[in-house]
Short mmCIF file of all heavy atoms in Angstrom, two decimals:
data_model
loop_
_atom_site.label_atom_id
_atom_site.label_comp_id
_atom_site.label_asym_id
_atom_site.label_seq_id
_atom_site.Cartn_x
_atom_site.Cartn_y
_atom_site.Cartn_z
N GLY A 1 -23.57 3.05 -7.83
CA GLY A 1 -22.31 3.53 -7.29
C GLY A 1 -22.27 3.64 -5.79
O GLY A 1 -21.30 4.14 -5.22
N VAL A 2 -23.33 3.16 -5.12
CA VAL A 2 -23.38 3.20 -3.65
C VAL A 2 -22.62 1.99 -3.11
O VAL A 2 -22.93 0.85 -3.49
CB VAL A 2 -24.83 3.18 -3.14
CG1 VAL A 2 -24.85 3.22 -1.61
CG2 VAL A 2 -25.60 4.36 -3.71
N PRO A 3 -21.62 2.18 -2.27
CA PRO A 3 -20.82 1.05 -1.78
C PRO A 3 -21.61 0.08 -0.92
O PRO A 3 -22.37 0.50 -0.05
CB PRO A 3 -19.70 1.72 -0.98
CG PRO A 3 -20.24 3.05 -0.60
CD PRO A 3 -21.16 3.46 -1.70
N ASP A 4 -21.42 -1.22 -1.18
CA ASP A 4 -22.03 -2.28 -0.36
C ASP A 4 -21.01 -2.85 0.63
O ASP A 4 -21.36 -3.22 1.74
CB ASP A 4 -22.57 -3.41 -1.25
CG ASP A 4 -23.78 -2.98 -2.05
OD1 ASP A 4 -24.56 -2.16 -1.53
OD2 ASP A 4 -23.92 -3.42 -3.20
N ILE A 5 -19.76 -2.96 0.17
CA ILE A 5 -18.69 -3.47 1.03
C ILE A 5 -17.56 -2.44 1.03
O ILE A 5 -17.12 -1.98 -0.03
CB ILE A 5 -18.18 -4.83 0.54
CG1 ILE A 5 -19.32 -5.87 0.54
CG2 ILE A 5 -17.04 -5.33 1.42
CD1 ILE A 5 -18.93 -7.21 -0.01
N VAL A 6 -17.10 -2.10 2.23
CA VAL A 6 -16.10 -1.04 2.39
C VAL A 6 -14.98 -1.53 3.30
O VAL A 6 -15.22 -2.26 4.26
CB VAL A 6 -16.75 0.23 2.99
CG1 VAL A 6 -15.69 1.25 3.39
CG2 VAL A 6 -17.72 0.84 2.00
N ILE A 7 -13.76 -1.14 2.97
CA ILE A 7 -12.62 -1.38 3.85
C ILE A 7 -12.29 -0.08 4.58
O ILE A 7 -12.13 0.97 3.95
CB ILE A 7 -11.39 -1.84 3.05
CG1 ILE A 7 -11.59 -3.26 2.51
CG2 ILE A 7 -10.14 -1.83 3.93
CD1 ILE A 7 -11.62 -4.31 3.57
N TYR A 8 -12.23 -0.15 5.90
CA TYR A 8 -11.84 1.01 6.71
C TYR A 8 -10.44 0.75 7.25
O TYR A 8 -10.20 -0.28 7.87
CB TYR A 8 -12.83 1.21 7.85
CG TYR A 8 -12.43 2.29 8.82
CD1 TYR A 8 -12.38 3.62 8.44
CD2 TYR A 8 -12.09 1.97 10.14
CE1 TYR A 8 -12.01 4.61 9.33
CE2 TYR A 8 -11.72 2.95 11.04
CZ TYR A 8 -11.68 4.27 10.63
OH TYR A 8 -11.32 5.25 11.51
N THR A 9 -9.52 1.66 6.98
CA THR A 9 -8.13 1.45 7.38
C THR A 9 -7.62 2.60 8.23
O THR A 9 -8.05 3.74 8.09
CB THR A 9 -7.21 1.32 6.15
OG1 THR A 9 -7.20 2.57 5.44
CG2 THR A 9 -7.69 0.21 5.22
N ILE A 10 -6.70 2.25 9.12
CA ILE A 10 -5.97 3.24 9.91
C ILE A 10 -4.48 2.98 9.69
O ILE A 10 -4.01 1.85 9.86
CB ILE A 10 -6.30 3.11 11.41
CG1 ILE A 10 -7.74 3.53 11.68
CG2 ILE A 10 -5.33 3.97 12.23
CD1 ILE A 10 -8.01 5.01 11.51
N ARG A 11 -3.76 4.03 9.29
CA ARG A 11 -2.32 3.88 9.05
C ARG A 11 -1.58 5.03 9.73
O ARG A 11 -2.00 6.19 9.64
CB ARG A 11 -2.01 3.88 7.56
CG ARG A 11 -0.55 3.67 7.22
CD ARG A 11 -0.38 3.34 5.75
NE ARG A 11 -0.74 4.43 4.90
CZ ARG A 11 0.10 5.37 4.45
NH1 ARG A 11 1.39 5.32 4.81
NH2 ARG A 11 -0.30 6.32 3.65
N ASN A 12 -0.49 4.69 10.40
CA ASN A 12 0.31 5.72 11.04
C ASN A 12 1.12 6.47 9.98
O ASN A 12 1.86 5.87 9.21
CB ASN A 12 1.26 5.08 12.06
CG ASN A 12 2.00 6.13 12.88
OD1 ASN A 12 2.86 6.82 12.37
ND2 ASN A 12 1.66 6.24 14.15
N VAL A 13 0.91 7.79 9.93
CA VAL A 13 1.62 8.61 8.93
C VAL A 13 2.45 9.70 9.63
O VAL A 13 2.72 10.74 9.03
CB VAL A 13 0.62 9.25 7.94
CG1 VAL A 13 -0.01 8.19 7.06
CG2 VAL A 13 -0.46 10.05 8.68
N ASP A 14 2.84 9.42 10.86
CA ASP A 14 3.58 10.43 11.63
C ASP A 14 4.92 10.76 10.95
O ASP A 14 5.27 11.94 10.79
CB ASP A 14 3.82 9.93 13.05
CG ASP A 14 4.18 11.06 14.00
OD1 ASP A 14 3.41 12.03 14.08
OD2 ASP A 14 5.25 10.99 14.63
N ASP A 15 5.65 9.73 10.53
CA ASP A 15 6.93 9.97 9.84
C ASP A 15 6.71 10.71 8.52
O ASP A 15 7.48 11.59 8.15
CB ASP A 15 7.65 8.64 9.57
CG ASP A 15 8.17 8.01 10.85
OD1 ASP A 15 8.31 8.74 11.85
OD2 ASP A 15 8.42 6.79 10.85
N GLU A 16 5.65 10.31 7.82
CA GLU A 16 5.32 10.96 6.55
C GLU A 16 5.00 12.44 6.76
O GLU A 16 5.45 13.30 6.00
CB GLU A 16 4.12 10.24 5.93
CG GLU A 16 3.72 10.75 4.56
CD GLU A 16 2.55 9.97 3.99
OE1 GLU A 16 2.50 8.73 4.21
OE2 GLU A 16 1.70 10.59 3.36
N LYS A 17 4.23 12.72 7.82
CA LYS A 17 3.89 14.10 8.13
C LYS A 17 5.14 14.91 8.49
O LYS A 17 5.27 16.08 8.08
CB LYS A 17 2.89 14.14 9.28
CG LYS A 17 1.46 13.82 8.89
CD LYS A 17 0.86 14.98 8.12
CE LYS A 17 -0.61 14.74 7.83
NZ LYS A 17 -1.20 15.89 7.10
N LYS A 18 6.02 14.29 9.23
CA LYS A 18 7.25 14.98 9.61
C LYS A 18 8.10 15.28 8.38
O LYS A 18 8.71 16.35 8.28
CB LYS A 18 8.04 14.14 10.61
CG LYS A 18 7.40 14.09 11.99
CD LYS A 18 8.18 13.18 12.93
CE LYS A 18 7.52 13.15 14.31
NZ LYS A 18 8.20 12.22 15.23
N ARG A 19 8.12 14.33 7.43
CA ARG A 19 8.87 14.57 6.20
C ARG A 19 8.23 15.71 5.39
O ARG A 19 8.92 16.56 4.83
CB ARG A 19 8.93 13.30 5.34
CG ARG A 19 9.90 12.26 5.86
CD ARG A 19 10.17 11.19 4.83
NE ARG A 19 8.98 10.43 4.51
CZ ARG A 19 8.59 9.35 5.16
NH1 ARG A 19 9.32 8.90 6.17
NH2 ARG A 19 7.50 8.69 4.81
N GLU A 20 6.88 15.70 5.36
CA GLU A 20 6.17 16.77 4.66
C GLU A 20 6.47 18.12 5.30
O GLU A 20 6.73 19.12 4.61
CB GLU A 20 4.66 16.51 4.67
CG GLU A 20 4.22 15.37 3.79
CD GLU A 20 2.73 15.12 3.88
OE1 GLU A 20 2.03 15.89 4.60
OE2 GLU A 20 2.24 14.17 3.25
N GLU A 21 6.39 18.15 6.63
CA GLU A 21 6.66 19.39 7.34
C GLU A 21 8.09 19.86 7.11
O GLU A 21 8.35 21.05 6.96
CB GLU A 21 6.41 19.20 8.85
CG GLU A 21 4.94 19.01 9.20
CD GLU A 21 4.74 18.65 10.67
OE1 GLU A 21 5.75 18.52 11.39
OE2 GLU A 21 3.58 18.48 11.08
N ASN A 22 9.02 18.89 7.07
CA ASN A 22 10.41 19.24 6.83
C ASN A 22 10.61 19.81 5.43
O ASN A 22 11.34 20.80 5.24
CB ASN A 22 11.29 18.00 7.03
CG ASN A 22 12.77 18.33 6.95
OD1 ASN A 22 13.24 19.25 7.60
ND2 ASN A 22 13.50 17.58 6.14
N LEU A 23 9.94 19.19 4.44
CA LEU A 23 10.03 19.68 3.07
C LEU A 23 9.43 21.08 2.94
O LEU A 23 9.98 21.95 2.26
CB LEU A 23 9.33 18.72 2.11
CG LEU A 23 10.02 17.37 1.88
CD1 LEU A 23 9.14 16.45 1.04
CD2 LEU A 23 11.37 17.57 1.19
N ILE A 24 8.28 21.28 3.62
CA ILE A 24 7.66 22.60 3.60
C ILE A 24 8.56 23.62 4.26
O ILE A 24 8.74 24.74 3.77
CB ILE A 24 6.28 22.54 4.30
CG1 ILE A 24 5.29 21.70 3.47
CG2 ILE A 24 5.72 23.94 4.50
CD1 ILE A 24 3.98 21.44 4.17
N ARG A 25 9.14 23.21 5.38
CA ARG A 25 10.04 24.12 6.10
C ARG A 25 11.25 24.48 5.23
O ARG A 25 11.67 25.63 5.17
CB ARG A 25 10.49 23.48 7.41
CG ARG A 25 11.33 24.41 8.28
CD ARG A 25 11.52 23.89 9.68
NE ARG A 25 12.14 22.58 9.71
CZ ARG A 25 11.49 21.45 10.00
NH1 ARG A 25 10.20 21.48 10.30
NH2 ARG A 25 12.11 20.28 10.00
N LEU A 26 11.80 23.47 4.53
CA LEU A 26 12.94 23.74 3.66
C LEU A 26 12.56 24.66 2.51
O LEU A 26 13.34 25.54 2.11
CB LEU A 26 13.49 22.42 3.09
CG LEU A 26 14.22 21.51 4.08
CD1 LEU A 26 14.58 20.19 3.41
CD2 LEU A 26 15.48 22.19 4.62
N SER A 27 11.36 24.45 1.96
CA SER A 27 10.92 25.30 0.85
C SER A 27 10.63 26.72 1.30
O SER A 27 10.61 27.65 0.49
CB SER A 27 9.68 24.69 0.19
OG SER A 27 8.55 24.79 1.03
N MET A 28 10.38 26.89 2.60
CA MET A 28 10.05 28.21 3.14
C MET A 28 11.23 28.85 3.88
O MET A 28 11.08 29.92 4.47
CB MET A 28 8.86 28.08 4.11
CG MET A 28 7.57 27.63 3.46
SD MET A 28 6.92 28.91 2.37
CE MET A 28 5.33 28.19 1.93
N THR A 29 12.39 28.19 3.87
CA THR A 29 13.52 28.65 4.68
C THR A 29 14.69 29.06 3.80
O THR A 29 15.02 28.40 2.81
CB THR A 29 13.96 27.52 5.64
OG1 THR A 29 12.86 27.12 6.44
CG2 THR A 29 15.09 28.00 6.54
N ASP A 30 15.34 30.13 4.19
CA ASP A 30 16.55 30.57 3.52
C ASP A 30 17.71 29.68 3.96
O ASP A 30 17.95 29.47 5.15
CB ASP A 30 16.85 32.03 3.89
CG ASP A 30 18.15 32.50 3.30
OD1 ASP A 30 18.27 32.51 2.07
OD2 ASP A 30 19.06 32.85 4.09
N GLU A 31 18.42 29.14 3.00
CA GLU A 31 19.45 28.14 3.29
C GLU A 31 20.60 28.71 4.12
O GLU A 31 21.11 28.07 5.03
CB GLU A 31 19.98 27.56 1.98
CG GLU A 31 20.96 26.41 2.18
CD GLU A 31 21.41 25.79 0.87
OE1 GLU A 31 20.91 26.22 -0.19
OE2 GLU A 31 22.26 24.90 0.92
N MET A 32 21.01 29.96 3.84
CA MET A 32 22.16 30.52 4.53
C MET A 32 21.85 30.92 5.96
O MET A 32 22.60 30.59 6.89
CB MET A 32 22.69 31.76 3.77
CG MET A 32 23.89 32.42 4.45
SD MET A 32 24.37 33.99 3.69
CE MET A 32 24.95 33.42 2.08
N THR A 33 20.75 31.61 6.17
CA THR A 33 20.47 32.20 7.48
C THR A 33 19.52 31.38 8.33
O THR A 33 19.40 31.63 9.54
CB THR A 33 19.87 33.60 7.30
OG1 THR A 33 18.60 33.47 6.61
CG2 THR A 33 20.80 34.49 6.50
N ARG A 34 18.81 30.41 7.71
CA ARG A 34 17.78 29.59 8.38
C ARG A 34 16.57 30.42 8.79
O ARG A 34 15.71 29.96 9.54
CB ARG A 34 18.33 28.85 9.60
CG ARG A 34 19.62 28.09 9.38
CD ARG A 34 19.65 27.28 8.12
NE ARG A 34 18.61 26.25 8.10
CZ ARG A 34 18.27 25.55 7.00
NH1 ARG A 34 18.86 25.81 5.85
NH2 ARG A 34 17.34 24.63 7.06
#
């Protein structure tokens, strides 16, 4: 099970993080008063 060949990737997830943060903020925020 020890890897001999590995793929190393870098992907920009800034938009994804912002969406996650927005969803977390919405789940933690009162809709009427913000």
Side-chain angles (χ1 to χ4, degrees):
V2 180
D4 291 326
I5 300 176
V6 170
I7 289 292
Y8 173 66
T9 65
I10 291 290
R11 182 166 67 92
N12 187 289
V13 291
D14 198 55
D15 290 341
E16 184 179 323
K17 282 287 185 179
K18 288 177 180 177
R19 285 194 296 272
E20 289 178 3
E21 291 173 359
N22 186 50
L23 289 173
I24 292 172
R25 185 168 57 254
L26 289 174
S27 70
M28 295 292 187
T29 303
D30 176 61
E31 185 176 357
M32 179 188 293
T33 64
R34 311 315 299 168

